[in-house]
Amino acid sequence: MKKIIMSCTLLILASSSAYPQERMDKMWGEQQSKKAALETERGHNFEWGNYAMFIHWGLFSHLGNIWNGKTYYGIGEWMINEGMANANRDEYKATSRSFNPKEFDAMKIAQLAKDAGMKYIIITSKHHDGFAMYHSACDKFNIVDATPFGRDPMKELADACKKLGLGFGFYYSHNQDWTTPGASGAPKVDAAGNPKTFEDYFNTKCLPQVKEITQNYGDIELIWFDTPGGIPQKYAEQLVEVVHQNQPRALVSGRVGYNLGDYQTLGDMEVPLENIDGLWESVDVTNDVWGYAWYDQNWKTPKQLLKYLISTIARGGTYMLNIGPDGLGNVPEFVSQTLRASGKWIARYPQVIYGAEASPWKHALPWGDIVKQGNKLYLTVYEWPTSGKLYLPGLQTDIVSARILGEKQKQRIKFKKEAGWTILNVPFQKPDQLISVIELEMKGDQIQVDNTQAVNPEIGIKDLSVLFTQTTNCHVYKSSWMEKFGEWKHVHCISDLNRKGRATWTIDIQTPGTYQIDLKARGEGRIVWKVEGDEGQIVQNQQGVSSYFQEKAIGWIKFDKKGKHTLSVSMPEGGKADLSAITLTPVVF
């Protein structure tokens, strides 16, 4: 489904006798009314803005991944879970007595989101530990009643967002609540030994708190429910009804359960490899965790953040990036630096982000990615070519003009078509130190492409996923695992090639020649791999595999003709192994 782009064109007319001031004022007023109407549309910031700030902040931030003097590596908001510290619930609740985020500055955080180019903020009102980060009337385990801080930071942040023109919304853990008897993950009896059911928890805490956060904080952008687990459907339906009743403009996340949400949320830390239809979002982190962890300094660079953001938009989605303030309420300085640096890039190229549609190619290209705005394509070049030529495969619609975007001017560039490829003559020096942008104005906005995976003549193609193969006697599945507790990785792979399976890619070769082949796989022992081309080429080799994905060299293969080719991989000998991708790199003689 094509995304609905809700944009407003500012009409600027030269003063003349044909346009008297009265008419000019009327037209200006009409434009402003249309703009205001669009900006109040339900889901406008989600669908048009494409970029949001996620904030995981709570009692777990005060701990910083330390429990009883020991550091636990992974997502600290799960400290009560046996997969982390298995913290005693009563002892955990008692830490609220020393939680005093006195350096919290709502306006400073909202300004950071605005400087980063984000359009709304979603923050944890209550995570799985049951601690409310706002003043809840139905449960005293909250930041106002249970801590020396004594303020409602959610109210302050909601007000700051309103002042800066940002949307605002809440994360709420509706199924899991480990410190409230009856909830998922909690004891089934209260402190006095009385039995408690999920219905008890739902009616006395969950439902009343969702009413609070949707009634007491002004207009809400969306409510982000999480981990529905086995929550009975009737309860999820009630929550959706409450949100839509109290906040008609608010969206409900897909993680409410039972396909009741207004959009789909992918797995944590997942950016897809191919376009996805409909409304969806990718949620990601600035380092390895969601909440603050004292040890985690593994930050994404500004360029990495921009690549994940652009690639999400190019696949048709919205990107929500998390930050984790510390126990005092401060955002780590490296996060602020990174977000502001990437925000300056967005300010230079807003058309790449806001209102941008998915790439007609439906997947990334070897040098970067592409988004669409009307009759314009924006080529975001992650790896700038050193030869002075940028190779664009498969474009079938005619180009009217090509320009390099920059701070000072739009620099026109020449281009030509050759055997289904468009070759653009670009400067040898990259125009932007982060990511350079080329604007193609097309002849019409119905842009036609051949989206065959293309092998760039200079850099080849790296990590071409098995997701793009035709399979015989085998199948592709998605493997997801945690590097550390809660740090998710997602890879598509084939596990049954050893059963006379075959995976075949169709690729487009622009320049005939010799290419190095590497395969990425994991498994046990030694595997014999066989790679076959459609011109009679065969490369066969044995390589060892281990428990984690590694790229191993297989050999060289030569293509004599330009155009489309097939390349197949099979496994003549060996045990269990997962194949995830192939890489082709030009061999320069």
Side-chain angles (χ1 to χ4, degrees), residues 77-82 85-89 92 129 178-179:
E77 58 273 22
W78 284 65
M79 294 297 275
I80 293 177
N81 187 272
E82 61 183 11
N86 196 24
N88 177 274
R89 288 170 174 80
Y92 183 91
D129 60 4
W178 302 326
T179 55

Side-chain angles (χ1 to χ4, degrees), residues 60-104:
F60 47 84
S61 308
H62 176 50
L63 301 174
N65 283 58
I66 297 176
W67 185 254
N68 289 336
K70 179 181 176 180
T71 295
Y72 290 84
Y73 296 88
I75 50 175
E77 58 273 22
W78 284 65
M79 294 297 275
I80 293 177
N81 187 272
E82 61 183 11
M84 287 291 284
N86 196 24
N88 177 274
R89 288 170 174 80
D90 291 334
E91 292 178 10
Y92 183 91
K93 292 180 70 173
T95 63
S96 64
R97 299 170 191 159
S98 58
F99 180 35
N100 188 15
K102 56 186 178 181
E103 295 177 13
F104 172 78

Side-chain angles (χ1 to χ4, degrees), residues 122-162:
I122 306 300
I123 187 168
T124 47
S125 63
K126 188 208 76 170
H127 211 281
H128 308 327
D129 60 4
F131 183 76
M133 288 295 289
Y134 69 97
H135 195 194
S136 175
C138 68
D139 189 271
K140 295 298 183 182
F141 190 42
N142 69 73
I143 193 168
V144 176
D145 295 320
T147 79
F149 185 61
R151 287 160 39 197
D152 187 335
M154 302 297 100
K155 181 69 169 63
E156 296 172 16
L157 190 57
D159 291 344
C161 286
K162 185 176 182 179

Side-chain angles (χ1 to χ4, degrees), residues 507 509 511-515 531-538 557-568:
I507 57 176
I509 297 290
T511 302
T514 303
Y515 292 81
V531 182
E532 299 173 84
D534 58 1
E535 295 177 309
Q537 319 97 309
I538 295 178
I557 194 167
K558 184 180 181 183
F559 295 97
D560 293 323
K561 299 177 182 178
K562 65 172 56 181
K564 292 184 180 178
H565 292 270
T566 59
L567 203 60
S568 298

Side-chain angles (χ1 to χ4, degrees), residues 491-537:
V491 173
H492 288 87
C493 49
I494 298 174
S495 64
D496 45 4
L497 280 172
N498 60 341
R499 300 177 182 176
K500 298 183 179 179
R502 178 180 295 266
T504 302
W505 287 269
T506 298
I507 57 176
D508 190 2
I509 297 290
Q510 199 277 338
T511 302
T514 303
Y515 292 81
Q516 166 72 39
I517 295 175
D518 298 274
L519 297 180
K520 183 176 284 188
R522 69 181 176 188
E524 299 175 356
R526 297 185 179 91
I527 305 296
V528 175
W529 302 102
K530 185 177 184 179
V531 182
E532 299 173 84
D534 58 1
E535 295 177 309
Q537 319 97 309

